[in-house]
Amino acid sequence: MIDFRSDTVTKPTKEMRIAMMDVLVGDDVYEDDPTIKELENLAASMTGFEAALFVPSGTFGNQLAIMTHTNRGDEIIVGMHSHIKNYEVGAAAVLSGVSYHIIEEMLGMMPLTKIREGVRGNDVHYPDTSLICLENAHGSGKVLPLEYLSEVRNIANQNDLKVHIDGARLFNAATSLDVDVKEITKYADSVMFCLSKGLASPIGSMVVGNQKFIDKARRNRKLMGGGMRQVGILGACGLISLKEMTKRLKEDHKNAKYVAEQLSMIPEFDVDFEHLDINMVFVKSTIDFVDLKEYLIPKGIIIGGYKGENLRVALHNDVKKEDIDLLIKYIKEYLNK
Ligand SMILES: Cc1ncc(COP(=O)(O)O)c(C=O)c1O
């Protein structure tokens, strides 16, 4: 199947499968796994932080960062459409005992005035605001500009708050801005980024921060059941993700633009060019995407279509230009049937 649903569907590359066979491993709870140490050192140095921690998933990494930055009863500032607020099962309330101050994003950004207004003052009735969570790249397909990150950092500094970036697609954001990833991460106290999305690892994410934060996070990771043993098996893939796969994301972005151009020529489709910064294309239409999805499955193509919702086409390592041409061909065939 050619799978356009998400970049999470990427399969580990042949190089990753070979690397997994011979990799050196040890018990990582004893901090004995040399491959995980290498991966964590590389992740820290690439993002400009003192230390890093391998975690099982992006959700785990975000929640670990929230738990490590906050005290129970705190309030955290999050975007209304953010993954942390919307798609992590309300975990911050369950695991860390924090509540959310929710702000609607515009083009992926929570307006700065709303963030300022959202910071609680010193009043016996109020919870403490302790953390601002950003998402870069944002799930809407937007990349947050560096000037915006700098402004959010200023607000955080003025109010003694921490900044966490959900960077599930951090390297896509850096690729889109054409900057070193450190230009983004320097505005945060912690960043989570995924190895298992566009970077094609089968499992795993990284949390990066200063040494004190990562030491505390290591203990919290154990509390959350995320202490893993011979996990260098996955670390071998993570190293390839960081060394090799980060370099090819521009191809996915180019393919996304190609899909957008092709789909925009179809009168029934309204392509959202404003949210086209990374490897995702969003399309509105009056046609029933569920029906289209069913039509495409026997042709060997899978899309994520939901009635009344936007179509999202995700580009990644397992989708080539010829696959896109097939998708366009069959969509046109479907509309003319
Ligand atoms: C922006 C964002 N953050 C976090 C996650 C969570 O990652 P995981 O599925 O590995 O838990 C995702 C997953 O798609 C995501 O898109």
Side-chain angles (χ1 to χ4, degrees):
M1 296 298 278
I2 309 166
D3 198 335
F4 291 98
R5 285 174 301 170
S6 173
D7 48 10
T8 57
V9 303
T10 44
K11 307 273 191 326
T13 63
K14 193 168 172 207
E15 201 189 351
M16 287 178 180
R17 290 167 194 259
I18 292 167
M20 274 192 259
M21 279 201 300
D22 285 332
V23 66
L24 290 175
V25 294
D27 188 327
D28 186 50
V29 175
Y30 294 155
E31 297 187 41
D32 271 354
D33 191 306
T35 306
I36 287 297
K37 277 198 178 136
E38 189 185 342
L39 176 68
E40 290 176 345
N41 288 339
L42 181 62
S45 75
M46 282 175 86
T47 54
F49 281 102
E50 285 172 4
L53 197 63
F54 182 80
V55 293
S57 70
T59 301
F60 196 111
N62 282 334
Q63 294 305 324
L64 179 64
I66 292 169
M67 183 182 280
T68 306
H69 281 305
T70 61
N71 293 313
R72 296 186 79 75
D74 284 358
E75 192 169 72
I76 64 173
I77 295 178
V78 290
M80 181 178 279
H81 305 289
S82 67
H83 199 277
I84 286 177
K85 183 255 156 191
N86 256 0
Y87 303 115
E88 302 192 359
V89 208
V94 180
L95 302 175
S96 301
V98 299
S99 54
Y100 304 111
H101 179 89
I102 300 165
I103 299 175
E104 171 132 41
E105 304 95 321
M106 289 161 70
L107 298 174
M109 291 176 280
M110 297 182 278
L112 295 168
T113 47
K114 297 277 177 200
I115 298 180
R116 272 193 209 96
E117 284 164 19
V119 181
R120 301 285 195 147
N122 192 5
D123 185 301
V124 74
H125 299 90
Y126 294 161
D128 287 329
T129 307
S130 52
L131 181 66
I132 303 172
C133 296
L134 301 176
E135 190 171 299
N136 202 13
H138 192 261
S140 64
K142 280 310 286 177
V143 170
L144 279 47
L146 300 179
E147 304 73 45
Y148 174 79
L149 299 179
S150 163
E151 292 289 346
V152 174
R153 179 75 260 170
N154 288 340
I155 298 174
N157 290 348
Q158 284 153 11
N159 295 283
D160 199 18
L161 310 180
K162 301 284 189 230
V163 176
H164 171 70
I165 297 182
D166 172 350
R169 297 182 181 82
L170 175 69
F171 286 89
N172 294 87
T175 302
S176 170
L177 292 171
D178 197 19
V179 296
D180 187 284
V181 81
K182 291 191 204 71
E183 294 302 314
I184 297 174
T185 54
K186 71 181 183 190
Y187 297 110
D189 296 286
S190 62
V191 181
M192 182 286 293
F193 66 88
C194 293
L195 302 166
S196 61
K197 301 200 162 58
L199 302 184
S201 273
I203 299 170
S205 295
M206 306 300 303
V207 176
V208 291
N210 69 25
Q211 191 64 56
K212 197 167 159 216
F213 171 84
I214 292 296
D215 290 345
K216 194 173 168 198
R218 186 179 292 280
R219 191 173 149 85
N220 284 338
R221 182 183 68 173
K222 195 80 183 83
L223 182 156
M224 288 167 68
M228 292 168 283
R229 304 295 176 175
Q230 287 71 27
V231 70
I233 294 279
L234 299 176
C237 301
L239 283 168
I240 295 170
S241 285
L242 286 184
K243 289 179 191 167
E244 306 298 332
M245 305 307 281
T246 49
K247 294 183 200 148
R248 58 156 305 285
L249 294 175
K250 44 175 126 34
E251 195 185 315
D252 297 341
H253 295 192
K254 200 170 136 207
N255 281 341
K257 297 213 164 48
Y258 178 65
V259 169
E261 277 159 24
Q262 292 298 312
L263 292 181
S264 69
M265 288 183 228
I266 300 174
E268 288 87 346
F269 284 0
D270 178 11
V271 175
D272 185 350
F273 281 95
E274 239 184 349
H275 291 86
L276 186 60
D277 287 345
I278 55 168
N279 60 330
M280 289 180 191
V281 185
F282 295 90
V283 186
K284 278 195 204 127
S285 176
T286 47
I287 73 155
D288 181 351
F289 285 131
V290 177
D291 198 46
L292 173 62
K293 182 178 179 173
E294 275 159 22
Y295 180 80
L296 292 174
I297 287 172
K299 320 254 181 239
I301 294 178
I302 182 154
I303 56 163
Y306 305 96
K307 197 167 190 174
E309 286 188 14
N310 291 354
L311 167 69
R312 183 180 80 170
V313 181
L315 289 308
H316 52 76
N317 189 45
D318 296 340
V319 170
K320 306 286 169 249
K321 173 127 183 315
E322 311 82 81
D323 303 328
I324 297 168
D325 289 332
L326 271 184
L327 172 73
I328 306 294
K329 175 178 158 222
Y330 287 128
I331 288 178
K332 286 183 180 161
E333 197 180 282
Y334 169 81
L335 292 168
N336 292 328
K337 81 178 164 73

